[in-house]
Amino acid sequence: MLFSYSISKQTNSLQVPKMKDLTIDNITENVHFINGQCSDRRLKFIVERLVSHAHDLVRETRLSTEEWMAAIQFLTEVGQTCTETRQVIPPTPWQMHSSHLHCVNTDWHVPNESKEFILLSDILGISLLVDAIDHPKPPGASEGTVLGPFHTHEAQNIEHGGGIASDPEGEPLLVLCTVRDSEGKALEDVKIDVWETDSKGFYDVQYANHDGPDGRAILTSDKDGIFWFKAIVPVPYPIPSDGPVGKLLAKLGRHCYRPSHMHFMFSHPIYDPLITALYLKNDPYETSDAVFGVKNTLVVELGRVEDEAIASKYGVKVGSALMKYDFVLVTKEEALNLRYQNAAAAMKAQGKKMEYLNGLPVPEVD
Amino acid sequence: MLFSYSISKQTNSLQVPKMKDLTIDNITENVHFINGQCSDRRLKFIVERLVSHAHDLVRETRLSTEEWMAAIQFLTEVGQTCTETRQVIPPTPWQMHSSHLHCVNTDWHVPNESKEFILLSDILGISLLVDAIDHPKPPGASEGTVLGPFHTHEAQNIEHGGGIASDPEGEPLLVLCTVRDSEGKALEDVKIDVWETDSKGFYDVQYANHDGPDGRAILTSDKDGIFWFKAIVPVPYPIPSDGPVGKLLAKLGRHCYRPSHMHFMFSHPIYDPLITALYLKNDPYETSDAVFGVKNTLVVELGRVEDEAIASKYGVKVGSALMKYDFVLVTKEEALNLRYQNAAAAMKAQGKKMEYLNGLPVPEVD
């Protein structure tokens, strides 16, 4: 494996017993823990307080994914509005007159040009925390994890058994999955977005000569809740480290690697969206993911296709790597109820009297 | 005056008794107060918690101006690194290998392309708070206020009596000032940067056809601590409202105006830098400045040049508007000591045991 020296040096120098299964309650201390490697004591102190306040802000407001995406979009626009001179064509008096009397009803929408801010949110543990609050899972349901900055809307629909990756240097992987509800009933017509890097650890869109989707596809579950496809064995990879977020990680003394994983996103009119990923067991970065995404229930051990009949049925060679997983979705109604119950319990624990607007807390009017 | 209807409507609808003389301790409640006009209860709640946490972060860490500028520069870079695809030329394995083992020693430096983030910091009261902490003033010393996003490095040196503004529509203003130390001694050779808008409320750099400095200049105090120049009477103006920060103000139900003022920045090898401004008494926005800059000691009442001999001496017409002010600087040593004393008192009040590195607190090593 490439980078074996740096990997072993990294994992040996870190004591990271709690870096998996991060929850709303334990994520903050874990982010502090990994940032504790920073040799700049002042920077370490400031980032420790920043992370505490940012996480508390999310917990206190039960910030939703939609709201956080709107905030990221806002910050991106602020950054992109910055220029040397901040030139402005003078508005007319009437524009000035009216602009401060009326709230602009700008639609909240998901940003599509905010990758570096999403990355910043990811490495500070905010993304995972927001997802955990917004998409709570009852016991038995598949857990969610960070979306990451590399989901695109370019992926094409493929049939079961189709291949998502063209990289000839990748190790072939057969992926066999099912999707069910919390009572075990097979779910048909669930749309599943899957994406992964190539064998060098890069997503298609990271290449300057990128010319169409690769390493990604959209499938639809059949009447037995089954979906299956051919891919390549995921590899660990560094998140983009050439930008300001990569420089911050370096200043914090942190590595920028994610453990090997494959992304899955499930959509269905009745079921709560599930954004998740499967992680390979024994990956060197399993307990020090740069973006805090790993959960025990999402770690899988790869198998092998050993039976000739199975190999023939799925059109792969005997000995091929095999990833199997059974996903469990909760309904939007279940998720909404659980989100409300969790929020009410959290607000009560904080001693706050709140009302709920669209399911989100606001202080009661005096 | 333009906009009289909106101004009176604005000031009538607001009860803002404490919006002047903002301090490290009272600024947060004042920012909450002005944001309390927001009709979107969820946004109001989120921003209330955001402002509280951001201000607490600054107070807890005694964040310095240099550090805040570095943070703003960082956020700007993050925003400007955001692209649809976040394309990356794949690094070589060795680049990847080494990048996460060594901290990048990026120099902190003051951003010069971060105007919109500075504006965001300003309208959340963070800029004033950081300045108050970083440049504490003992009784009798001239107070500081927000730098704002329109200081440039284009200004030319002028002689005493020179004019800084070319706008023929501005009302001529004679500015007569002195600069002294805290014991009343005149200070020679202090460099004073002054800048203001034109009569329409726009700084030179806001015009698309901007072609060199206007409304700004650099003077040097003489042996009696005197500096004087000709300018125009400042007018209230909106901060740039076409960008995301302007949209946020609108969502918050806030106007985007600053009261009439003239900026001053003092530099001298021995004296603590003073970034300040003088505000015109009875300006309609005196108690609701969009960026929280007004302090009682910085509010001046314009006079008139009534004496023919004085008018002749300064080369202005009888009846010209006159602004007079005596500035008092503290030494860098005084400021450093006061900063340290204030930080130590704040840390003690927070029950924290801290050490000081370069005058800034960090937790004691266990």
Side-chain angles (χ1 to χ4, degrees):
Chain A
M1 179 178 287
L2 271 175
F3 324 132
S4 58
Y5 172 70
S6 61
I7 286 171
S8 61
K9 178 167 178 178
Q10 185 63 46
T11 44
N12 284 345
S13 68
L14 269 177
Q15 302 292 324
V16 282
K18 290 183 282 189
M19 282 285 300
K20 285 198 299 185
D21 271 341
L22 299 179
T23 67
I24 293 171
D25 296 319
N26 73 12
I27 187 165
T28 309
E29 63 182 297
N30 275 282
V31 176
H32 292 340
F33 188 85
I34 200 165
N35 287 338
Q37 304 167 101
C38 180
S39 59
D40 178 333
R41 290 176 63 192
R42 177 71 181 162
L43 178 64
K44 183 163 70 173
F45 175 50
I46 292 170
V47 171
E48 193 263 346
R49 299 313 305 146
L50 170 67
V51 168
S52 286
H53 282 295
H55 287 198
D56 283 347
L57 172 63
V58 171
R59 280 186 287 250
E60 285 171 10
T61 59
R62 312 297 295 183
L63 200 68
S64 74
T65 304
E66 189 183 4
E67 288 167 340
W68 185 231
M69 286 296 104
I72 282 180
Q73 172 77 353
F74 172 78
L75 290 170
T76 303
E77 285 175 14
V78 172
Q80 296 188 341
T81 306
C82 288
T83 60
E84 173 74 41
T85 54
R86 186 68 174 82
Q87 281 168 345
V88 174
I89 298 163
T92 68
W94 284 107
Q95 286 175 317
M96 285 197 278
H97 185 152
S98 61
S99 71
H100 74 276
L101 294 177
H102 303 291
C103 284
V104 177
N105 186 17
T106 302
D107 290 332
W108 298 121
H109 61 287
V110 176
N112 57 11
E113 297 197 349
S114 304
K115 310 298 185 194
E116 192 76 358
F117 263 114
I118 292 175
L119 211 52
L120 179 59
S121 168
D122 290 351
I123 67 122
L124 295 177
I126 300 173
S127 301
L128 187 83
L129 179 58
V130 170
D131 181 71
I133 288 173
D134 207 41
H135 298 286
K137 308 296 180 205
S142 295
E143 292 191 276
T145 186
V146 290
L147 172 65
F150 292 115
H151 177 255
T152 74
H153 295 285
E154 284 186 341
Q156 302 291 314
N157 290 287
I158 61 168
E159 297 298 316
H160 295 170
I164 71 167
S166 71
D167 184 353
E169 293 177 33
E171 182 185 351
L173 174 71
L174 174 64
V175 185
L176 298 180
C177 299
T178 64
V179 54
R180 300 176 182 279
D181 72 7
S182 51
E183 289 170 358
K185 191 185 77 177
L187 298 179
E188 189 176 2
D189 283 338
V190 176
K191 178 185 153 197
I192 307 115
D193 229 316
V194 298
W195 66 105
E196 66 169 343
T197 70
D198 65 14
S199 64
K200 294 178 187 65
F202 294 101
Y203 291 94
D204 51 5
V205 292
Q206 290 181 279
Y207 286 97
N209 61 354
H210 162 60
D211 183 28
D214 195 10
R216 63 181 80 236
I218 297 170
L219 295 105
T220 306
S221 60
D222 70 14
K223 66 179 172 33
D224 299 315
I226 292 170
F227 63 98
W228 66 283
F229 56 97
K230 290 164 189 159
I232 60 174
V233 174
V235 295
Y237 64 84
I239 59 175
S241 61
D242 60 326
V245 172
K247 287 177 188 162
L248 176 62
L249 280 180
K251 276 178 188 284
L252 290 170
R254 284 170 54 177
H255 71 71
C256 55
Y257 279 80
R258 297 217 61 203
S260 310
H261 62 279
M262 183 174 292
H263 292 276
F264 295 80
M265 184 160 66
F266 297 81
S267 325
H268 186 282
I270 294 175
Y271 292 87
D272 194 47
L274 173 64
I275 295 167
T276 194
L278 297 178
Y279 297 87
L280 300 197
K281 193 168 177 179
N282 297 325
D283 186 280
Y285 299 109
E286 189 178 336
T287 59
S288 65
D289 183 1
V291 304
F292 306 100
V294 185
K295 292 178 178 175
N296 271 330
T297 61
L298 301 175
V299 175
V300 296
E301 192 160 16
L302 292 192
R304 293 280 164 195
V305 176
E306 292 174 355
D307 188 295
E308 182 72 55
I310 300 286
S312 171
K313 174 178 177 185
Y314 291 108
V316 298
K317 292 181 183 165
V318 168
S320 287
L322 174 66
M323 178 188 269
K324 294 180 75 173
Y325 202 82
D326 298 312
F327 293 93
V328 176
L329 304 187
V330 296
T331 64
K332 287 181 178 175
E333 193 182 352
E334 282 178 281
L336 188 67
N337 288 339
L338 192 56
R339 190 157 50 230
Y340 170 74
Q341 287 168 23
N342 291 352
M347 293 298 111
K348 194 176 173 189
Q350 293 170 27
K352 288 183 183 163
K353 289 202 170 182
M354 307 297 271
E355 292 176 47
Y356 290 82
L357 298 178
N358 303 319
L360 295 168
V362 296
E364 284 187 352
V365 176
D366 295 331
Chain B
M1 178 177 288
L2 272 175
F3 324 132
S4 58
Y5 171 69
S6 62
I7 286 170
S8 61
K9 178 166 179 181
Q10 186 63 46
T11 45
N12 285 344
S13 68
L14 269 177
Q15 301 295 322
V16 283
K18 290 182 282 187
M19 282 286 299
K20 286 198 298 186
D21 271 341
L22 299 180
T23 67
I24 294 171
D25 296 320
N26 74 11
I27 188 164
T28 309
E29 65 182 294
N30 276 282
V31 177
H32 291 339
F33 188 86
I34 200 164
N35 287 338
Q37 304 167 99
C38 181
S39 59
D40 179 334
R41 291 175 64 194
R42 178 69 181 164
L43 178 64
K44 182 163 74 173
F45 175 50
I46 292 170
V47 171
E48 193 263 345
R49 298 314 305 146
L50 170 67
V51 168
S52 285
H53 281 295
H55 288 199
D56 283 347
L57 171 64
V58 171
R59 281 186 287 250
E60 285 170 9
T61 59
R62 311 297 293 182
L63 200 69
S64 75
T65 303
E66 190 183 3
E67 289 168 340
W68 185 232
M69 286 296 105
I72 282 179
Q73 173 76 355
F74 172 77
L75 290 171
T76 303
E77 286 174 15
V78 172
Q80 297 187 340
T81 305
C82 288
T83 60
E84 173 75 40
T85 54
R86 187 69 173 81
Q87 280 167 347
V88 174
I89 299 162
T92 67
W94 283 108
Q95 285 176 318
M96 284 198 279
H97 185 154
S98 61
S99 69
H100 75 277
L101 294 177
H102 304 292
C103 285
V104 177
N105 187 16
T106 302
D107 290 331
W108 298 120
H109 61 286
V110 177
N112 57 11
E113 298 197 347
S114 304
K115 310 299 186 193
E116 191 77 358
F117 262 114
I118 291 176
L119 211 52
L120 178 59
S121 169
D122 290 351
I123 66 121
L124 295 178
I126 300 172
S127 301
L128 187 84
L129 179 59
V130 170
D131 181 72
I133 288 173
D134 207 41
H135 298 285
K137 308 297 181 204
S142 295
E143 293 190 275
T145 186
V146 289
L147 173 64
F150 293 116
H151 178 255
T152 72
H153 295 283
E154 284 187 341
Q156 302 291 313
N157 290 287
I158 62 168
E159 297 297 316
H160 295 170
I164 72 167
S166 72
D167 184 353
E169 294 176 32
E171 182 185 351
L173 173 72
L174 174 63
V175 184
L176 297 180
C177 299
T178 64
V179 55
R180 299 176 183 280
D181 72 6
S182 51
E183 290 172 357
K185 192 185 76 175
L187 298 179
E188 190 176 3
D189 284 338
V190 176
K191 177 185 154 196
I192 307 114
D193 229 315
V194 298
W195 65 106
E196 65 169 343
T197 70
D198 65 12
S199 63
K200 294 176 186 64
F202 293 100
Y203 291 94
D204 52 5
V205 292
Q206 290 180 278
Y207 286 97
N209 61 354
H210 163 60
D211 182 28
D214 194 10
R216 62 182 79 237
I218 298 169
L219 294 105
T220 306
S221 59
D222 70 14
K223 66 178 171 34
D224 299 315
I226 291 170
F227 63 97
W228 67 282
F229 57 96
K230 291 164 188 160
I232 60 175
V233 174
V235 294
Y237 64 83
I239 59 175
S241 60
D242 60 328
V245 173
K247 287 177 188 162
L248 176 63
L249 280 179
K251 275 179 188 282
L252 291 170
R254 285 170 55 177
H255 70 72
C256 54
Y257 278 79
R258 297 216 62 202
S260 311
H261 64 279
M262 183 174 293
H263 292 276
F264 294 80
M265 183 160 65
F266 297 80
S267 326
H268 186 282
I270 294 175
Y271 293 87
D272 194 48
L274 173 64
I275 294 168
T276 193
L278 297 179
Y279 296 86
L280 300 196
K281 191 169 177 178
N282 297 325
D283 186 279
Y285 299 108
E286 189 177 335
T287 59
S288 64
D289 183 0
V291 304
F292 306 99
V294 185
K295 292 177 178 176
N296 270 329
T297 62
L298 300 175
V299 175
V300 297
E301 191 160 16
L302 291 193
R304 293 281 163 194
V305 178
E306 292 174 354
D307 188 295
E308 182 71 56
I310 301 286
S312 172
K313 174 179 176 184
Y314 291 108
V316 297
K317 292 181 181 165
V318 169
S320 289
L322 174 65
M323 177 188 270
K324 294 181 74 173
Y325 202 81
D326 298 312
F327 292 93
V328 177
L329 304 188
V330 296
T331 63
K332 288 181 178 175
E333 193 182 351
E334 283 176 282
L336 188 67
N337 288 339
L338 193 55
R339 191 157 48 230
Y340 170 74
Q341 287 168 25
N342 291 351
M347 294 297 111
K348 194 176 173 188
Q350 294 170 25
K352 288 184 184 162
K353 289 202 171 182
M354 307 297 271
E355 290 175 49
Y356 291 82
L357 297 179
N358 303 319
L360 296 168
V362 295
E364 282 187 354
V365 176
D366 295 331

